[in-house]
Amino acid sequence: MPAVASFLLVAVLPGLACAVVLRGLRGSPHPSGPAFLAVVAGAGLTCWTLVAGILGRTVGLTAASTWTATGVVGAVSLVLLALPSSRRVLGARPFPRREVAWGWSVLGLGALAWLPMGLLVWQTTWGPLGGTSWYYSALAQQTAAAGHLPATSVEFGTTVPFLSDYPLFTLGTAFLNVQVPADQVHVVRQLLTTVPVLYLAVGTAALARALGASRLASLAAVPIAIGSGIAILKLTAYRPEGFALGVAVLAVALVALGLRARDPGVLAVGGAVTAVLSQVHGIAVVTAAAYLVAVSVALWAKERSWAFVRVVALAAGLVVAATLVTLVVTGSVAGQMHHGGISDLAGRGDPTWEFLRAARDKPPSEPPTRLELVQAKLHGSVRGDALWYLVVALVCYALLLVTRATRKRLGPLAVFMPVALVCLTIPVAVLLFGWDSYVPRRTGTLRMLSEASLIRPVLLAGGATAAALLLRSRFRRSWVVPAFQVAVLVLALAVGVTATAHQAAGRKANRTHPEDLQALSDLDIPPDSTVLTDGYSEGIIHAVTGAHGLLEGRAPYTFPHVLYRANLLLREAREFYAHPRANRAFLDENGVDYVIVQREPKVLASAYRFDTRNADRRLSKGSAFEQVLDTPRLAVFRYLGADGAEGAEGATGAVGASGPNGAAGALAGSEG
């Protein structure tokens, strides 16, 4: 597979070369196993994304430029590995066997815990799992076609600025896309759904080790990290927020390991990965910043020296410097395209809440208050699996403090947890109280607080380590502690695999059907056509047919002129499907050429579908619509225009003709 080969050359081999070179410069006979593994992952990630960013800003992303860059990077990596100092490192049995086994176990447990979902991802070759992923895939495809981040795209039937909120993620994907044949683009998507799982596994285990957890206990954190919390929801499909989860934890782990060993090389790689994260997803980089502050405070609490403060200052300087370099490379940061601002309106006039209601085919209503959002989050934290994790986490934290031995070894973790939660609460409070509109407030309470689940497995590893220390002090038999640790590891793996299997079963039931997508593709809809769907289709129409879906694009919460248009289009489209012949003016106004009816929920990989039954029967009555596709789950009609109509039901209830209440009028009004 060209994509896998390219990734190995541009994102794995350079990481290995960097780790070996840094170890040679450090001169340590037995370097930290977690640091070596984390540097391989972090340096490789940085190399791949920055090369993609540089090409996107200079000569462009083409098959020739990307393969040339891949070859150069691979050759340079081999030269570095062939240096005398590197050969001495590679030939000196650099790690004890336990560290080697630990490193391979981290990767193996990560893969095993994600196996049920991974099998589903790699079996689903015809498309990603989830509607939003179609949109993100389309961003990468448009970038690959242009050779750089385009200036504009078509969303909701109008030209809008291209969403370059995730520059290195989009460019990194496009870098691999241009290297593969058109029929293998799905391999790139599957690869980049898998890679963050391994990043999260490495980051979680390495962070647990940096904060005092034992080898076996840190391994137990891996399946819990992958099979619980926000990760189990996001590591299911190709999307920047899922990719960013693994990168965020990896960045924090690298900085923690660098601070603990006072190793400038590891700190530099940690700074570089943090800088890459700033070009991948905004929420994740804010989360990482909170955890970086917490890990610095936690390790300082153990050292308590001015020398360590200087190391922290060095780490901060490296993060800032690396971020500035990536800013120069890409010319933007994650979230920069959110320049339109948020319409900060409360109540029924809140367009962000109206978008959610309209997309879900719900009537307008009052959005939840701040108190209701907080109550919903707290209620979700004390029910189901979340309650058990909360109880276990509290017990584990108590174990960290129970004896002098546990406090001495796991003191940094005991400090890290409360400081991390406090630091994470600050941006949550800013979002919750800084805006009146629903989406920013929801992002703070329901989204950012969920990022706390990323560090919960580290606490569980610390609790298992503390319990092992207590058992060692009480039982003299040598087999008791190893047996306990193995039992914890087996239990954690069982929990992780069971959870991901359950998640995979739900995703499998809701994925698209390849025969439906093939039927849509076989229609050969002209690329300049506009297609109307009976619900918010996010990005699947453009991805499958090349045409423009009238009701698809980004969730435009921070683009007011697009947001108001999208809201009105969704409401008017719903009325059209309820009374097609009475509302044909809506099609004429928006240049609709094809109309799609889903006969079952989630046929087009989205939970957003209008509840308008028998719409296909209503469309088939009259000569204005010609049915061109009929499957058990899908019907497609070509709109012949007003000239082909044999009469209308009447003007009663008609929506969106022309004038101030139409979608075009709303767009003009919002811009004015």
Side-chain angles (χ1 to χ4, degrees), residues 189-453:
R189 184 177 62 245
Q190 293 164 326
L191 176 66
L192 297 186
T193 306
T194 305
V195 166
V197 176
L198 300 180
Y199 288 158
L200 180 62
V202 172
T204 300
L207 181 59
R209 290 283 299 275
L211 294 175
S214 66
R215 289 189 187 90
L216 280 175
S218 67
L219 293 178
V222 171
I224 298 298
I226 293 170
S228 68
I230 191 173
I232 194 174
L233 301 175
K234 299 297 183 180
L235 294 176
T236 57
Y238 170 85
R239 57 179 66 180
E241 55 265 44
F243 191 88
L245 293 180
V247 178
V249 178
L250 181 62
V252 176
L254 280 163
V255 172
L257 292 165
L259 288 174
R260 184 155 188 169
R262 303 192 182 189
D263 189 330
V266 177
L267 288 175
V269 177
V273 174
T274 306
V276 168
L277 181 63
S278 72
Q279 307 282 321
V280 173
H281 201 266
I283 292 177
V285 76
V286 173
T287 301
Y291 293 162
L292 287 174
V293 172
V295 82
S296 300
V297 172
L299 293 175
W300 172 84
K302 182 178 181 180
E303 299 282 343
R304 297 194 180 185
S305 66
W306 284 108
F308 187 80
V309 173
R310 290 193 291 270
V311 177
V312 172
L314 173 63
L318 290 171
V319 169
V320 172
T323 303
L324 292 176
V325 170
T326 56
L327 176 62
V328 172
V329 169
T330 64
S332 63
V333 295
Q336 182 178 337
M337 277 304 300
H338 287 178
H339 56 76
I342 299 175
S343 298
D344 197 20
L345 300 173
R348 288 176 177 262
D350 178 2
T352 65
W353 175 248
E354 167 62 9
F355 179 81
L356 288 172
R357 300 291 291 179
R360 295 172 180 173
D361 197 20
K362 302 292 184 182
S365 67
E366 292 287 335
T369 65
R370 292 181 176 87
L371 179 60
E372 289 171 339
L373 286 172
V374 173
Q375 289 175 334
K377 184 61 181 178
L378 293 176
H379 181 64
S381 300
V382 293
R383 65 178 182 180
D385 293 342
L387 176 60
W388 288 107
Y389 277 117
L390 178 61
V391 171
V392 173
L394 292 174
V395 171
C396 288
Y397 192 79
L399 289 173
L400 302 182
L401 308 173
V402 71
T403 68
R404 180 178 298 179
T406 58
R407 290 193 297 270
K408 181 179 180 180
R409 175 164 182 168
L410 298 161
L413 180 55
V415 175
F416 171 76
M417 293 302 299
V419 175
L421 294 178
V422 170
C423 291
L424 192 61
T425 302
I426 295 173
V428 169
V430 170
L431 291 169
L432 182 61
F433 296 102
W435 281 271
D436 290 325
S437 53
Y438 171 74
V439 165
R441 294 187 286 114
R442 179 198 67 175
T443 300
T445 52
L446 302 182
R447 178 65 173 84
M448 284 210 67
L449 279 180
S450 298
E451 302 278 322
S453 64

Side-chain angles (χ1 to χ4, degrees), residues 116-117 120 498-511:
M117 184 62 67
L120 181 64
T498 301
T500 53
H502 178 74
Q503 186 72 15
R507 293 285 179 171
K508 183 177 182 179
N510 294 324
R511 63 179 175 176

Side-chain angles (χ1 to χ4, degrees), residues 31-295:
S32 165
F36 190 91
L37 185 59
V39 167
V40 171
L45 165 70
T46 302
C47 179
W48 158 51
T49 53
L50 287 186
V51 167
I54 291 171
L55 291 181
R57 289 271 287 180
T58 54
V59 299
L61 296 168
T62 64
S65 67
T66 55
W67 277 116
T68 300
T70 300
V72 170
V73 169
V76 171
S77 301
L78 291 175
V79 169
L80 292 175
L81 290 172
L83 293 175
S85 59
S86 298
R87 292 202 304 270
R88 286 194 296 270
V89 170
L90 294 172
R93 292 185 175 271
F95 303 117
R97 291 182 179 179
R98 288 184 178 180
E99 292 290 4
V100 175
W102 177 86
W104 285 111
S105 297
V106 168
L107 300 176
L109 286 168
L112 189 57
W114 194 66
L115 183 61
M117 184 62 67
L119 291 175
L120 181 64
V121 167
W122 284 91
Q123 290 169 357
T124 310
T125 59
W126 57 89
L129 302 173
T132 309
S133 299
W134 288 98
Y135 176 73
Y136 294 133
S137 297
L139 293 180
Q141 286 289 79
Q142 293 171 55
T143 301
H148 53 78
L149 294 174
T152 61
S153 60
V154 176
E155 301 179 19
F156 295 102
T158 188
T159 301
V160 297
F162 183 81
L163 188 65
S164 57
D165 273 12
Y166 326 104
L168 287 186
F169 178 73
T170 302
L171 287 166
T173 306
F175 179 96
L176 298 174
N177 279 349
V178 299
Q179 296 179 320
V180 301
D183 61 350
Q184 292 187 24
V185 171
H186 66 276
V187 177
V188 176
R189 184 177 62 245
Q190 293 164 326
L191 176 66
L192 297 186
T193 306
T194 305
V195 166
V197 176
L198 300 180
Y199 288 158
L200 180 62
V202 172
T204 300
L207 181 59
R209 290 283 299 275
L211 294 175
S214 66
R215 289 189 187 90
L216 280 175
S218 67
L219 293 178
V222 171
I224 298 298
I226 293 170
S228 68
I230 191 173
I232 194 174
L233 301 175
K234 299 297 183 180
L235 294 176
T236 57
Y238 170 85
R239 57 179 66 180
E241 55 265 44
F243 191 88
L245 293 180
V247 178
V249 178
L250 181 62
V252 176
L254 280 163
V255 172
L257 292 165
L259 288 174
R260 184 155 188 169
R262 303 192 182 189
D263 189 330
V266 177
L267 288 175
V269 177
V273 174
T274 306
V276 168
L277 181 63
S278 72
Q279 307 282 321
V280 173
H281 201 266
I283 292 177
V285 76
V286 173
T287 301
Y291 293 162
L292 287 174
V293 172
V295 82

Side-chain angles (χ1 to χ4, degrees), residues 8-25:
L8 291 174
L9 288 173
V10 80
V12 177
L13 189 60
L16 177 62
C18 180
V20 171
V21 169
L22 287 179
R23 192 225 164 193
L25 294 175

